[in-house]
């Protein structure tokens, strides 16, 4: 039984294959008649808000020939305290796969273990692996390859997206530099586990973006951290603005997983000047996740 729970636990070969298959799904969207989920029903359990992930999975399951049901934890017994392992054993007897967005990463691991159906992490506090497959598609589309490229992540370096990126860099070998404020440094035990010589963490945002082919950013306050507005002052020097972009490679591309908060982690000017890249990146979620679901049921 295969699951897609993290970039940490996938092989480099599988990750690269998913990226390339996502590009194939994108090119063949109008013409493909492959239906790897025909006859299947997939469930989506979400306990956090979502636009891109929800829509791309709902469309993706249908385009692969399956049915999909969206379940908000507000409406489930899970939201009233039913254990995830009981929820998993019930759904495991009724649906063929499950896509989960939640807080605690252990919950998706437990669901996968007890449900015994292909399980996808659609974002936890620890990782956002689907995002990274789509983002790597964008890197290939924009730069041709990740090999030999320098990718900087500027902002909250210790969040789910940056962590998944760090694992991807370890697997695929490109230079990855995280620029994050001292007060919000990447967790030392995480870096100990990562052990990747090609991944570095700095507080020096200018050094991080120098020569970068891609600057990547994300919100300063991830879902669940809404009450921590005091973080924003520390992150202010880490805004992706034109002055920062000017220090990078002359053809540097900006990635943002979205939603974006203009005037905070990115300026209106940079977001709009890079809109083609950023909204293609969002579209890539659909194609990337079709590749992931197909891989899980193969
Ligand atoms: N990037 C992303 O996962 O977006 P949503 O929160 O809208 O799903
Ligand atoms: N780090 C962000 C990603 C949103 C897609 C969050 O967890 O809210």
């Amino acid at each position: 039984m295969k699951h897609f729970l993290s970039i940490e636990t996938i092989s480099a070969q599988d990750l690269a294959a998913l990226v390339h298959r996502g590009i194939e799904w994108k090119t063949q969207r109008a013409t493909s008649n492959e239906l790897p989920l025909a006859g299947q029903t997939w469930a989506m359990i979400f306990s956090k808000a979502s636009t891109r992930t929800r829509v791309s999975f709902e469309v993706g399951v249908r385009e692969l020939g399956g049915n999909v049901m969206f379940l908000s934890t507000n409406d489930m017994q899970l939201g009233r305290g039913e254990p995830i392992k009981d929820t998993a054993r019930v759904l495991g007897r009724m649906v063929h796969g499950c896509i989960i967005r939640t807080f605690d990463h252990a919950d998706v691991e437990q669901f996968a273990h007890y449900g015994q159906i292909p399980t996808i992490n659609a974002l936890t506090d620890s990782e956002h692996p689907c995002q990274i497959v789509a983002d790597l598609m964008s890197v290939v589309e924009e730069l041709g390859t990740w090999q030999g490229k320098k990718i900087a992540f500027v902002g909250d370096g210790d969040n789910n997206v940056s962590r998944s990126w760090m694992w991807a860099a370890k697997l695929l070998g490109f230079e990855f530099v995280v620029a994050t404020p001292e007060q919000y440094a990447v967790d030392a035990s995480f870096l100990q586990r990562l052990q990747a010589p090609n991944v570095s963490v700095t507080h020096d945002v200018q050094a991080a973006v120098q020569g970068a082919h891609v600057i990547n950013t994300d919100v300063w306050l991830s879902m669940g951290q809404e009450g921590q507005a005091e973080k924003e002052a520390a992150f202010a020097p880490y805004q992706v603005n034109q002055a920062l972009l000017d220090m990078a490679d002359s053809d540097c591309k900006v990635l943002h997983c979205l939603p974006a908060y203009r005037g905070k982690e990115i300026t209106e000017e940079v977001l709009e000047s890079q809109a083609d890249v950023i909204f293609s990146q969002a579209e890539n979620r659909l194609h990337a996740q079709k590749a992931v679901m197909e891989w899980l049921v193969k």
Side-chain angles (χ1 to χ4, degrees), residues 3 5-6 9 100 104-114 119:
H3 305 292
L5 303 185
S6 66
T9 50
I100 306 180
D104 188 350
H105 193 78
D107 283 348
V108 293
E109 291 177 334
Q110 229 183 78
F111 188 99
H113 176 74
Y114 282 98
T119 302

Side-chain angles (χ1 to χ4, degrees), residues 15-92:
L15 178 59
L18 288 175
V19 174
H20 293 296
R21 184 63 179 141
I23 292 170
E24 277 176 15
W25 276 113
K26 186 170 184 173
T27 346
Q28 298 164 8
R29 187 171 184 206
T31 52
S32 173
N33 51 15
E34 293 176 76
L35 300 172
L37 299 191
Q40 298 200 3
T41 298
W42 280 53
M44 298 172 60
I45 302 178
F46 276 44
S47 43
K48 287 177 175 171
S50 172
T51 297
R52 281 143 289 270
T53 309
R54 176 176 177 174
V55 174
S56 54
F57 268 115
E58 292 204 25
V59 172
V61 172
R62 291 191 182 102
E63 289 193 2
L64 296 181
N67 290 304
V68 61
M69 69 176 73
F70 181 82
L71 302 164
S72 159
T73 46
N74 291 333
D75 305 324
M76 297 177 76
Q77 299 292 6
L78 184 63
R80 298 178 62 244
E82 184 170 22
I84 190 84
K85 62 183 181 182
D86 293 357
T87 308
R89 282 177 286 190
V90 173
L91 265 67

Side-chain angles (χ1 to χ4, degrees), residues 48 101 123 128 159-161 218-219 221-223 257-259:
K48 287 177 175 171
R101 169 169 283 202
L123 180 148
H128 195 1
N159 76 11
N160 39 20
V161 172
D218 185 12
V219 294
L221 300 178
S222 284
M223 290 180 277
C257 64
L258 302 175

Side-chain angles (χ1 to χ4, degrees), residues 4 57 120-122 128-135 285 288-289 292:
F4 185 66
F57 268 115
I120 297 177
N121 171 7
H128 195 1
C130 297
Q131 182 70 56
I132 272 52
V133 182
D135 295 0
R285 298 293 305 280
Q289 288 154 198
V292 169

